Amino acid sequence: MTHDVVVVGSGPNGLAAAITVARAGRQVLVHEADDSVGGSTRSAELTEPGFRHDVCSAVFPLAVASPFFNTLPLAQHGLDWIHPPAPLAHPFDDGTAVVLERSIEDTTRQLGRDGPAYRKLVSPFVADWERLTVAVLGPLRPLQHPFTLLRFGRLALRSARGLAEGLFQEERARALFTGLAAHAALPLESATTAAYGLLLGVAAHAVGWPIARGGSQSVADALASYLRSLGGEIATGRRVRSLAELPARVVLCDVAPRGLLELAADRLPPGYRRRLERFRHGAAAYKVDYALDGPIPWTSPECARAASVPLGGSFAAIARADAAPSRGEAAERPFVLLVQPTLFDPSRAPAGKHTAWAYCHVPNGSRVEMLDRIERQIERFAPGFGDRVIARSVKPPAALEQSNPNLVGGDINGGMPGLGQLLWRPTWRRYSTPVAGLYICSASTPPGGGVHGMCGYYAAERALAGARR
């Protein structure tokens, strides 16, 4: 069969692009090099038989917030979101934790004198959540909900450190906010890092931080199932190495800029190639998956109410840890993001057993061994954790890239999320290229990293508009 459009790569953005094309009545084929769909949204038995781990993405606030995913009947195709009692718990060295609750009031009660400031910060955006997601989860469009975008941008363009120190007086609120902002994998003094803390905090109250029943593979499988129901086709287990292999007039590439160079180097003009070559990748992840013979023994029992537990302690300690990669260093006491899904989804492990997922930020391509440092941080807040470990799967940056070439140097965000590159990535052309019919739809395009499908959706819309001309 001749296909109108071919998509290279079956991550959430590639599948979103293919679905958008199929819904427009076009014949579409997705090529995936791996034996299963999903890209970094996959699950596998990485440690022991019966222990199902998320290969990369694990918690999905932006998926349930996605304006595109929310138009899809994914529940009918097997996707079931599980909402833990609390989106996140942030432990401290004194054995307590501040819990980011779904309720704004339940969160503010834990923040002492900073409660009113926190409520004032997040409440307007929670109330305006739908407009905010449309404005933020896409390319910069000044006329799309301009007042919401301006109100958010006034705060989001600040550094996380500046916002936290300017708004909050006490440690607990400052640490909670910077722990959220540290997902940016940038020094917390950098402009735009406040955007990550604000968006993720508001999302916790507006839609929650769910996990997918059965693992992140369930997200990709539901997208693939819906695509097939529309007549779309998926071919797995075959790597596309050149555009010459693809007879379609329109090709959408869910690949990093380096991957686009490899696929289309002979067709791209020199100036565009140079711009792709200058694309900067950000800090890497060093990831460990655990098979455990029991739940994590947290000092603070509040940590068992949340799937996501950021481990860094104080505001100052988090800031020090996340500044290290930008200096080419690996922090001695890294900020660790940990997820414990089997507390809420026992289907992922044998009866009575558990899984955990943890990573820290290191310089792109780093070869520094971080396993001991990660485990010391976990033990700091959960003494005896090591005694629960049955097996580990350790993925330093090189192993992450080997498992998915889009994770260049271990960068899981699709590129450094600094202000200019975030808005115009990978070049000022965004989804388009100088080659007619060739588009890029990966997390290296706006709005960037995260499982939301919006990069693929907007790229496909651009491609369909071009095809109609």
Side-chain angles (χ1 to χ4, degrees):
M1 177 186 292
T2 301
H3 297 89
D4 301 314
V5 178
V6 169
V7 177
V8 179
S10 73
N13 286 310
L15 292 172
I19 289 169
T20 303
V21 168
R23 291 172 95 182
R26 307 299 178 90
Q27 294 293 326
V28 61
L29 170 65
V30 177
H31 281 287
E32 170 55 52
D34 203 275
D35 291 331
S36 60
V37 299
S40 290
T41 308
R42 293 188 294 118
S43 304
E45 293 183 341
L46 300 177
T47 55
E48 296 281 329
F51 290 86
R52 190 166 176 80
H53 303 273
D54 291 328
V55 172
C56 189
S57 32
V59 182
F60 298 98
L62 297 185
V64 293
S66 168
F68 176 65
F69 284 175
N70 283 329
T71 69
L72 309 182
L74 298 181
Q76 297 174 27
H77 291 266
L79 180 58
D80 181 21
W81 294 121
I82 296 174
H83 286 269
L88 176 144
H90 186 120
F92 295 94
D93 289 298
D94 63 0
T96 66
V98 60
V99 180
L100 183 60
E101 304 273 6
R102 285 294 300 271
S103 161
I104 296 174
E105 292 305 315
D106 288 345
T107 304
T108 58
R109 276 194 287 269
Q110 305 170 65
L111 299 179
R113 291 187 297 167
D114 290 323
Y118 179 85
R119 184 190 303 107
K120 184 178 179 180
L121 174 66
V122 300
S123 292
F125 298 113
V126 173
D128 206 18
W129 176 247
E130 290 188 7
R131 287 191 179 90
L132 178 64
T133 54
V134 170
V136 172
L137 291 181
L140 182 63
R141 296 159 297 164
L143 298 180
Q144 188 76 29
H145 303 307
F147 297 112
T148 299
L149 190 60
L150 286 170
R151 188 167 67 242
F152 182 78
R154 180 176 60 85
L155 297 169
L157 292 176
R158 298 175 63 181
S159 74
R161 182 169 199 140
L163 190 148
E165 290 180 331
L167 287 183
F168 304 128
Q169 304 173 59
E170 298 181 346
E171 177 63 33
R172 294 171 79 81
R174 288 180 174 181
L176 175 65
F177 184 79
T178 52
L180 295 168
H183 285 77
L186 289 170
L188 296 177
E189 293 79 14
S190 301
T192 74
T193 48
Y196 290 83
L198 187 54
L199 184 63
L200 291 174
V202 171
H205 301 303
V207 294
W209 284 26
I211 59 175
R213 190 178 303 279
S216 62
Q217 186 71 56
S218 300
V219 180
D221 287 348
L223 290 166
S225 175
Y226 179 54
L227 173 62
R228 291 186 176 107
S229 77
L230 297 171
E233 298 179 48
I234 302 173
T236 59
R238 177 179 173 271
R239 183 176 298 279
V240 176
R241 301 190 181 278
S242 170
L243 290 183
E245 302 173 29
L246 307 174
R249 294 176 58 189
V250 176
V251 178
L252 288 138
C253 296
D254 184 6
V255 300
R258 188 172 73 181
L260 187 64
L261 284 166
E262 293 170 356
L263 285 170
D266 59 335
R267 303 191 189 185
L268 301 173
Y272 186 75
R273 288 204 306 268
R274 286 192 294 271
R275 290 186 180 93
L276 293 184
E277 289 164 354
R278 290 197 295 266
F279 186 81
R280 294 174 298 155
H281 281 278
Y286 185 111
K287 178 174 177 283
V288 188
D289 288 282
Y290 294 97
L292 305 172
D293 69 1
I296 297 175
W298 299 110
T299 302
S300 170
E302 293 296 313
C303 291
R305 297 184 55 235
S308 297
V309 186
L311 305 175
S314 70
F315 160 66
I318 295 168
R320 283 195 301 270
D322 258 31
S326 67
R327 301 192 301 266
E329 301 171 2
E332 187 62 34
R333 301 185 84 181
F335 176 68
V336 175
L337 290 159
L338 183 143
V339 178
Q340 46 184 1
T342 43
L343 288 180
F344 316 100
D345 181 11
S347 71
R348 303 190 193 193
K353 309 300 182 183
H354 287 270
T355 66
W357 166 110
Y359 79 88
C360 69
H361 296 132
V362 295
N364 192 274
S366 173
R367 296 184 179 182
V368 176
E369 289 299 326
M370 298 297 290
L371 177 61
D372 287 345
R373 301 184 198 187
I374 288 173
E375 294 193 351
R376 285 199 298 270
Q377 285 290 73
I378 300 174
E379 288 273 351
R380 175 179 165 193
F381 301 100
F385 168 79
D387 296 334
R388 301 283 172 93
V389 176
I390 299 170
R392 301 170 177 83
S393 171
V394 179
K395 288 284 178 22
L400 289 173
E401 182 177 340
Q402 185 176 13
S403 69
N404 183 345
N406 279 5
L407 308 183
V408 176
D411 174 8
I412 62 175
N413 284 323
M416 185 176 290
L419 179 59
Q421 185 164 277
L422 184 63
L423 294 177
W424 303 109
R425 56 205 276 157
T427 74
W428 64 269
R429 292 178 181 268
R430 295 176 178 167
Y431 314 102
S432 301
T433 75
V435 178
L438 177 63
Y439 301 85
I440 182 170
C441 65
S442 69
S444 298
T445 64
V451 178
H452 43 65
M454 299 305 296
C455 309
Y457 166 74
Y458 282 113
E461 287 284 292
R462 180 74 58 84
L464 289 168
R468 287 191 288 266
R469 292 194 188 104

